[in-house]
C-alpha cells in the first residue's frame, strides 16, 4: 500500500494492521479481497441490480432539462419553486470539475453551505475531502452537488414536495457533467435517487444504475461517520467498490 493512502486511512481513523515484516494493511483489507470478484461480476456482466431504480422526474421540469451550465446556475440561485427560498441565504448550486468522471451527491446544504453557497464545506465536507483523497481524488477533480439546493431549516429532512421541485436541477447537472460514476452519500440521497425506503445498510455494496443507466455506489454520509466513526470501515469498503467499479468501466472503455 502506498504511503499516501496509508496516511489518509490513518487520518480517517481506520485501524491499520502492522505486519511483523513492517508492511501495513488497513484492517478492512479482507473486504477488498473478498469483494472484488462479486463487484466485477455485477459490473461487467450487468445482471439485474438488487434494487431496481425508479427515476421519479416530475412530468414538467419547467424547461430545466434544456438549460446550459450558466443558465442552470442562475436558475438554482434565484429559484423560488419551494418555500425554502424564503429562509435560505444562498442557493447552493454545486462545485467542482464540470467534466468530472466522478460525481458526489449529498442531501442538502447545512448552515455552513448555506452561508458560503458551496456544498460540503463544513466538518462533514472536510471528512468527505479526506474520503476522496483516500482514493486518490482531489475535491477539485469531482463534481459535488446535493438533492436540495436550499437549506431546510434546522437541517430537517427534505420534504417530498421540496425534492420534487428541486430534483430536476440535479438530474440536469448529472446530464451535463456526464460522470462515469456517481457516489451517493447518505440515506436520504440514496433513498431519493433510488425511490425506495430501504435502509442504507442494504443499499450499500451494490452497484445501482440511475439517470440513463449510470453506475451509482452508496455510502454513509460523512456527517453520520463523524457521529459513528466505527462505520468508517464500511465506508472504506464502499469507496473500494466505487473505485473498482470505476476502474472496470475504464478498462472496458479502453479495451
Ligand atoms: N450535507 C449534505 O448532504 N450536503 C452538504 O452540502 C453539506 C452537508
Amino acid at each position: 500500500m502506498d504511503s499516501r493512502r496509508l496516511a489518509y486511512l490513518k487520518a480517517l481513523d481506520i485501524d491499520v494492521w502492522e505486519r511483523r515484516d513492517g508492511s501495513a494493511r488497513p484492517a478492512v483489507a479482507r473486504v477488498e479481497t473478498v469483494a472484488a470478484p462479486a463487484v466485477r461480476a455485477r459490473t461487467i456482466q450487468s445482471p439485474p441490480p438488487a434494487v431496481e431504480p425508479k427515476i421519479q422526474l416530475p412530468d414538467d421540469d419547467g424547461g430545466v432539462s434544456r438549460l446550459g451550465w450558466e443558465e442552470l446556475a442562475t436558475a438554482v440561485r434565484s429559484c423560488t419553486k419551494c418555500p425554502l427560498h424564503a429562509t435560505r441565504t444562498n442557493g447552493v448550486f454545486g462545485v467542482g470539475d464540470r467534466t468530472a468522471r466522478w460525481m458526489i451527491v449529498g442531501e442538502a446544504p447545512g448552515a455552513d453551505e448555506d452561508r458560503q453557497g458551496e456544498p460540503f464545506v463544513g466538518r462533514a465536507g472536510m471528512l468527505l475531502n479526506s474520503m476522496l483523497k483516500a482514493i486518490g481524488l482531489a475535491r477539485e477533480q469531482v463534481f459535488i452537488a446535493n438533492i436540495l439546493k436550499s437549506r431546510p431549516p434546522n437541517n430537517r429532512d427534505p420534504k417530498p414536495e421540496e425534492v420534487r421541485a428541486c430534483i430536476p436541477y440535479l438530474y440536469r447537472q448529472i446530464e451535463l457533467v456526464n460522470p462515469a460514476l456517481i457516489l451517493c452519500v447518505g440515506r436520504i440521497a440514496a433513498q431519493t435517487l433510488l425511490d425506495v425506503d430501504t435502509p442504507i445498510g442494504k443499499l450499500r455494496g451494490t452497484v445501482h444504475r440511475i439517470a440513463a443507466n449510470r453506475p451509482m455506489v452508496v455510502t454513509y454520509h460523512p456527517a453520520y461517520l463523524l457521529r459513528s466513526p466505527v462505520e468508517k470501515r464500511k465506508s472504506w469498503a464502499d469507496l473500494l467498490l466505487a473505485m473498482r467499479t470505476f476502474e472496470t468501466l475504464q478498462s472496458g472503455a479502453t479495451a
Side-chain angles (χ1 to χ4, degrees), residues 85-250:
H85 78 272
T87 49
R88 73 172 178 231
T89 310
N90 286 296
V92 178
F93 179 65
V95 72
D97 181 352
R98 292 178 175 185
T99 62
R101 307 313 291 137
W102 288 61
M103 186 154 169
I104 317 300
V105 177
E107 176 182 332
D112 294 316
E113 291 76 21
D114 179 60
R115 214 170 13 252
Q116 297 184 40
E118 182 172 325
F120 284 102
V121 290
R123 281 186 69 224
M126 298 304 108
L127 179 55
L128 177 64
N129 293 348
S130 298
M131 291 164 70
L132 292 172
K133 268 191 181 170
I135 52 170
L137 290 170
R139 179 178 169 93
E140 299 71 31
Q141 285 178 286
V142 303
F143 192 84
I144 308 176
N146 285 311
I147 302 270
L148 287 194
K149 310 305 190 198
S150 301
R151 181 190 182 207
N154 304 315
N155 300 338
R156 64 155 168 75
D157 287 354
K159 293 183 179 172
E161 58 272 25
E162 294 161 355
V163 171
R164 260 195 306 279
C166 213
I167 201 123
Y169 296 131
L170 177 66
Y171 281 122
R172 184 60 182 148
Q173 288 175 312
I174 294 174
E175 260 174 16
L176 287 169
V177 174
N178 192 23
L181 185 109
I182 296 169
L183 180 67
C184 175
V185 297
R187 174 183 65 86
I188 300 278
Q191 291 180 341
T192 301
L193 290 175
L194 294 167
D195 194 23
V196 294
D197 293 324
T198 313
I200 186 166
K202 293 207 163 78
L203 297 176
R204 297 177 48 248
T206 300
V207 181
H208 304 277
R209 297 273 170 177
I210 71 151
N213 213 29
R214 294 163 211 275
M216 179 177 86
V217 170
V218 171
T219 193
Y220 293 112
H221 196 288
Y224 171 74
L225 295 176
L226 288 170
R227 294 193 302 274
S228 309
V230 71
E231 303 288 30
K232 284 181 182 171
R233 289 169 184 225
K234 292 188 195 161
S235 118
W236 174 239
D238 299 335
L239 294 176
L240 291 176
L241 170 59
M243 210 163 45
R244 284 176 186 282
T245 303
F246 179 74
E247 283 165 3
T248 303
L249 287 169
Q250 294 307 102

